């Protein structure tokens, strides 16, 4: 194909989105909904196998933490999260594919900084950020006026 023909063909081919965002209710089902959305997006981006499985696990942990942060914020504001599901703000999720990297993130309006816990052997929860730290190539937190974004990156080929 000539350079001119290739240029025209590239312009005519719609580009797949490289960043996708969703808003989810702050409840227990959100992690599953986020995983399903990510699974579909990763298939569209032709990302499969171990990277896809790890990305789903990372996102699940990040969303679960964001839902918990929203519940705590709602409780602090006087709303009982158990009595009023969805009393907090929506939880945001974002997936972005860049050169050689996949980013998954969860956004919440809750205050505080996420801190990895030292869960005891018989604790049922408290290991999320330890899992994120162990599996992600990089992770971090960005705070702005709207709340915080906890993100994790994986290398992709």
């Amino acid at each position: 194909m000539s350079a001119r023909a290739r240029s025209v063909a590239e312009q005519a081919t719609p580009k797949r989105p490289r960043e996708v965002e969703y808003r989810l209710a702050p409840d227990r089902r959100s992690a599953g909904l986020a995983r399903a959305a990510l699974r579909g997006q990763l298939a569209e981006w032709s990302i499969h196998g171990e990277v896809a499985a790890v990305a789903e696990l990372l996102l699940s942990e990040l969303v679960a933490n964001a839902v918990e942060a929203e519940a705590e914020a709602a409780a602090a504001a006087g709303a009982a999260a158990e009595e009023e599901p969805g009393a907090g703000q929506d939880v945001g999720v974002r997936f972005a594919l860049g050169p050689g990297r996949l980013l998954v993130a969860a956004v919440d309006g809750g205050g505080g900084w996420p801190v990895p816990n030292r869960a005891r052997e018989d604790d049922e929860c408290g290991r999320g950020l330890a899992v994120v730290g162990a599996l992600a190539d990089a992770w971090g937190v960005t705070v702005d006026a709207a709340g915080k974004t906890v993100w994790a990156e994986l290398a992709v080929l």
Side-chain angles (χ1 to χ4, degrees):
M1 182 182 295
S2 73
R4 178 160 167 65
R6 189 172 24 253
S7 175
V8 170
E10 288 170 357
Q11 290 174 4
T13 305
K15 299 219 185 270
R16 296 180 296 182
R18 294 296 187 180
E19 186 169 324
V20 181
E21 295 183 11
Y22 295 93
R23 302 296 298 172
L24 303 170
D27 66 42
R28 292 182 205 132
R29 296 174 300 203
S30 294
L33 294 170
R35 283 192 309 272
L38 177 62
R39 202 174 303 123
Q41 190 61 55
L42 293 177
E44 189 174 314
W45 287 337
S46 299
I47 297 173
H48 306 284
E50 185 177 340
V51 171
V54 171
E56 282 188 49
L57 177 57
L58 293 173
L59 183 65
S60 188
E61 295 296 342
L62 297 178
V63 171
N65 286 350
V67 167
E68 184 177 330
E70 283 299 337
E72 290 171 2
E82 290 83 27
E83 294 175 17
E84 293 182 49
Q89 297 179 21
D90 285 348
V91 170
V93 293
R94 183 166 51 107
F95 325 134
L97 182 61
R101 69 172 184 81
L102 171 67
L103 177 129
V104 294
V107 181
D108 67 71
W113 198 263
V115 177
N117 293 328
R118 292 195 181 267
R120 293 185 311 253
E121 188 175 315
D122 59 341
D123 286 346
E124 292 183 12
C125 59
R127 295 175 181 83
L129 289 178
V131 169
V132 171
L135 296 177
D137 293 315
W139 76 278
V141 182
T142 305
V143 178
D144 61 23
K148 69 179 172 289
T149 301
V150 184
W151 54 268
E153 284 186 346
L154 292 172
V156 294
L157 301 176

